[in-house]
Structure formats: structure tokens, C-alpha cells
Amino acid sequence: MDICYSCGGDIAVIKDRPYHYDECGLKVIIHGITQYDCLACGETYASIPNTQRLHLLIGSHICEKRKALLRPDEILFLRKDLHLRAKELAKILGASPQAVSRWENGKKPIGETHDRLLRALYMMYASEQANHVICQGALDIFSELPAKSERKTITETEEIVLNPQEWLSDTGDCCSI
Ligand SMILES: [Zn+2]
């Protein structure tokens, strides 16, 4: 990129600034992304390579979270990355489409069983896509998930921070780093 797409102004290339990947709907901070700032109008651009792998990694981080059940934004991310409509995910999980909508809009927390099932489904999907086990330790993760009585608030948010070596190499085993 040489000039600004908006105004044609000069561009500064920035390599060392963490990128807040708000487009994915979650708090994700990525290191190693080249960014471009327009010196004239202030517009900023980012070049994000290998978004498929990036999304698999974000999904895996979500599935490996142990302290709390899945939040609405996390459920939505996993469903979108599975390329499923709410109705389709509902059928797969044995839930009603209304239940899936309520989990995603925060009106009702996901239950423990559906939480585990959705994680397991995504872990299998991610591993298939990546052609290797991308998310490990399911038994440990699931055994450390809170029960209903100790459930944390679903609004609790947590940042996911990704480093380049985690997702820019095709051979790297992401989640063991
Ligand atoms: Zn500009």
C-alpha cells in the first residue's frame, strides 16, 4: 500500500503496534500485523494475512477458557466461524433456535451441557480444518469448567492476545505455545 485509499495522502507503515481486531466482535489483540496510517486524513488500515487460521486460533482460545462458561459474544463468534445459522446450530446441539438466540443476545446464559457440546464441536471442526489437533486437553478443560452453583457473571470479559508465531506458521501447534 503506497497511498491512502480514502484521500490519496501519504502513508506511514507501522510494524510494531498491537492491532485491536474489533472486527471479530471480541477483544482480541494481535501482534505482528502491519498497519498503515494516512498522514493526511488519519485513516488507518491493517493487512491481516491468513484470517482463516487466525479465526481458528481465536476460537480455540475461547474453547480453552476454563474460568467461566461461554459468553454471548463468544457463542456468536464460534457459530459464525462454524458457518452455521442459529437454526442449524440449534439442531446440531439439540436446542431450540430461540435458546440459541437468547444465549447470543445475553437474555439467558448457556447451560453447562450445551457449553461443553459447543466447545467440543468447535474443537473437532478446528482440528479438521487445520489437519491436526488444534485444541488440546479437552478433558482437563471441561473438568475445570464451573458448575451452575459457581457460575461467574457472563459479562466478564477477557482479552485474547495473539503473537505472530501462533498463527503465521502452518506447522505451529498453536495452543501449546
Ligand atoms: Zn487519507
Side-chain angles (χ1 to χ4, degrees):
M1 178 165 189
D2 301 319
I3 55 163
C4 174
Y5 294 137
S6 306
C7 75
D10 286 336
I11 288 288
V13 179
I14 292 141
K15 300 232 180 217
D16 55 0
R17 187 172 64 201
Y19 180 69
H20 291 254
Y21 188 36
D22 297 335
E23 301 93 302
C24 74
L26 297 162
K27 277 193 188 172
V28 175
I29 296 168
I30 314 172
H31 294 272
I33 294 284
T34 304
Q35 294 171 77
Y36 308 89
D37 289 359
C38 175
L39 299 170
C41 75
E43 186 68 78
T44 60
Y45 304 88
S47 159
I48 304 176
N50 210 348
T51 50
Q52 195 208 4
R53 184 170 175 86
L54 177 63
H55 278 223
L56 290 177
L57 262 170
I58 295 170
S60 301
H61 275 267
I62 292 171
C63 291
E64 291 189 336
K65 184 182 78 164
R66 298 165 194 232
K67 282 179 270 175
L69 296 181
L70 297 170
R71 294 195 316 263
D73 52 351
E74 294 169 335
I75 296 166
L76 183 64
F77 179 91
L78 294 181
R79 174 170 69 75
K80 285 192 170 170
D81 209 48
L82 287 164
H83 305 288
L84 293 171
R85 280 181 264 182
K87 204 173 143 189
E88 294 165 331
L89 180 65
K91 192 159 190 286
I92 291 168
L93 296 179
S96 68
Q98 293 79 10
V100 173
S101 304
R102 287 194 288 265
W103 302 338
E104 290 182 357
N105 62 28
K107 291 205 172 126
K108 194 169 187 274
I110 190 169
E112 286 97 291
T113 307
H114 284 126
D115 178 290
R116 285 159 173 77
L117 190 52
L118 177 53
R119 290 184 201 227
L121 183 73
Y122 187 87
M123 287 174 175
M124 281 193 294
Y125 165 82
S127 298
E128 279 174 14
Q129 295 295 308
N131 279 321
H132 69 275
V133 176
I134 198 167
C135 213
Q136 296 180 7
L139 296 183
D140 286 341
I141 294 166
F142 290 8
S143 70
E144 288 177 30
L145 286 173
K148 199 176 251 168
S149 55
E150 55 194 19
R151 181 185 276 151
K152 302 251 172 80
T153 67
I154 59 163
T155 50
E156 180 186 322
T157 61
E158 196 176 308
E159 274 175 358
I160 295 173
V161 180
L162 300 175
N163 291 305
Q165 69 271 23
E166 278 193 280
W167 60 284
L168 288 178
S169 88
D170 285 334
T171 51
D173 185 23
C174 70
C175 296
S176 63
I177 291 171

